[in-house]
Amino acid sequence: MKIRIISFHKILYQGNIISIIAPGIQGYFQILKNHAPFISILKNGFLKLESKDLKKKIKIEGGFLQVKKNIILVILQ
């Protein structure tokens, strides 16, 4: 899957991942390959990204996440 994480000022991360775990309003959720189209509001917490070569945690204070056709867009506050 491809992911782009952006704030109002810059792109924070962009690349290919295997999974993402994100803090939704009703708790953490995971997105894997071929996930159904999905939009969620994000709350304070950590985005946990995993790829073949990388495990990365990004602290966030809220935002939005959209999944569509194996492309994930995260817009942070």
Side-chain angles (χ1 to χ4, degrees):
M1 298 181 295
K2 294 185 181 199
I3 187 167
R4 179 180 282 180
I5 302 171
I6 60 175
S7 70
F8 292 115
H9 304 290
K10 63 181 178 178
I11 296 172
L12 299 174
Y13 182 81
Q14 174 169 283
N16 291 312
I17 60 168
I18 296 169
S19 84
I20 180 172
I21 298 174
I25 289 182
Q26 297 180 351
Y28 277 85
F29 60 90
Q30 183 175 29
I31 303 292
L32 298 169
K33 187 176 180 183
N34 297 323
H35 197 285
F38 179 76
I39 295 176
S40 178
I41 296 172
L42 301 175
K43 64 178 187 174
N44 295 347
F46 290 92
L47 293 176
K48 300 173 188 175
L49 309 176
E50 184 177 347
S51 71
K52 291 179 184 177
D53 306 325
L54 164 76
K55 287 190 178 183
K56 183 175 184 80
K57 282 174 97 171
I58 300 172
K59 185 171 176 28
I60 66 168
E61 296 182 17
F64 297 90
L65 179 144
Q66 176 188 19
V67 179
K68 187 176 179 183
K69 297 183 180 179
N70 288 319
I71 298 172
I72 301 168
L73 175 63
V74 179
I75 301 172
L76 300 177
Q77 293 181 340

